[in-house]
Amino acid sequence: MSSFALSIVLLAALLHASWNAVVKAVSDRALVLAAVSASHALLGLALILFATPPDRASWFYIFLSTVIHFGYYVFLFQSYRLGDLSQVYPISRGLAPGLVTLGAYLFVGETLGPAGWVGLTAITLGIGLLAFQRGITHASRGAIAVAAINGVLVASYSVVDGIGVRLADSPFGYMGWLFLMEFPVPLFILLRRHRRAVPIELRTLVLGLLGGVGAVSAYGLVIYTKTIAPLGAVSAVRESSVIMAALIGLILLGERPWRPRIASATIVALGVGALAFAG
């Protein structure tokens, strides 16, 4: 993995961690989810207007990724309902790198060298250690099952988008249509709230839109990097956002304990270094 690709994905991970930290304290998660999806759709529309259309060979992957993303949103919302997000979120993100690497090998024929495998393993272990720190052993079976399903879905759309964007011959065109296809998510949530007469809090909506800008920027950078770097390595570095979010909580929000978080961050940092060395 080149230093250029590594830098892009680390920036994406930081953006992802930052927007998660912004919306962490918000209780109306459905409205946040609608705002994040709306941000995706709006940026997608802007990209479509200016970018070269993606090649026809990539349209199947845009459709497939869209369907998988819809499932991801459903199970993400369920994870909010069944368990503490800080417990189940590291499970889904920790499962993804290994599954993406397996999928990349099966469908693209990509493999990592010895240093790459060491790096991926270290990042996965560091995220797993964080999951145990957050109380995974106390989470319900339903919450853990939802988190595991989400991990499979994250890995699935990561592999699908990695293949699709390489076939598109227009990364921004691919991103544009992929992001625009999320428009049913905010429509469904807002219409449902309207029927139930649930009010919309302006502060929550603004935070959700800001979070959406961070989310769409982060995934856009990840999609682009998949055109120049191995899918498994990109996924592993991207999921280090879980550790970054934990460190943001430690430094800015005063969350404790600090020693286990530093240990997890150190393991992940060593994994990122190994992936850089592999490049």
Side-chain angles (χ1 to χ4, degrees):
M1 192 175 189
S2 69
S3 58
F4 175 66
L6 182 64
S7 299
I8 294 176
V9 184
L10 284 174
L11 175 59
L14 179 59
L15 287 171
H16 193 272
S18 298
W19 81 260
N20 273 275
V22 167
V23 302
K24 181 178 180 181
V26 177
S27 58
D28 193 347
R29 300 279 171 74
L31 181 57
V32 170
L33 188 61
V36 169
S37 298
S39 298
H40 279 72
L42 289 173
L43 179 62
L45 179 60
L47 288 173
I48 288 171
L49 294 176
F50 296 101
T52 304
D55 190 272
R56 292 174 60 184
S58 67
W59 277 98
F60 168 76
Y61 296 93
I62 293 174
F63 173 77
L64 182 58
S65 179
T66 298
V67 173
I68 296 171
H69 271 89
F70 288 163
Y72 167 76
Y73 284 130
V74 170
F75 282 96
L76 182 63
F77 185 80
Q78 289 301 314
S79 71
Y80 295 152
R81 187 178 66 85
L82 295 175
D84 186 345
L85 185 62
S86 64
Q87 292 175 329
V88 298
Y89 188 70
I91 300 173
S92 60
R93 312 313 294 199
L95 284 174
L99 293 176
V100 170
T101 303
L102 176 61
Y105 173 73
L106 293 176
F107 296 106
V108 187
E110 277 187 359
T111 57
L112 295 174
W117 278 107
V118 170
L120 185 145
T121 301
I123 292 172
T124 302
L125 288 177
I127 297 173
L129 177 60
L130 181 66
F132 278 98
Q133 296 167 28
R134 296 293 184 88
I136 181 179
T137 55
H138 302 295
S140 68
R141 291 183 178 179
I144 294 174
V146 167
I149 293 172
N150 247 353
V152 174
L153 292 174
V154 170
S156 299
Y157 71 64
S158 296
V159 173
V160 169
D161 286 335
I163 299 172
V165 73
R166 292 176 181 181
L167 294 173
D169 288 331
S170 173
F172 293 109
Y174 183 91
M175 293 178 209
W177 283 103
L178 179 66
F179 294 155
L180 180 62
M181 296 297 285
E182 290 200 22
F183 76 90
V185 176
L187 285 179
F188 172 79
I189 294 175
L190 293 177
L191 288 174
R192 193 165 179 259
R193 294 172 70 92
H194 178 71
R195 286 198 299 268
R196 298 184 176 186
V198 179
I200 295 177
E201 184 185 35
L202 181 60
R203 175 182 174 273
T204 302
L205 181 62
V206 171
L207 284 175
L209 290 172
L210 290 174
V213 172
V216 72
S217 300
Y219 196 53
L221 290 171
V222 167
I223 290 178
Y224 170 74
T225 312
K226 289 176 181 179
T227 65
I228 59 175
L231 302 185
V234 171
S235 176
V237 178
R238 179 201 181 199
E239 305 310 346
S240 66
S241 62
V242 177
I243 302 297
M244 293 183 183
L247 292 179
I248 290 173
L250 173 67
I251 297 169
L252 299 181
L253 305 179
E255 296 177 351
R256 295 295 183 270
W258 65 270
R259 287 187 179 87
R261 297 181 188 222
I262 295 299
S264 296
T266 301
I267 295 172
V268 170
L270 291 173
V272 171
L275 283 173
F277 177 76

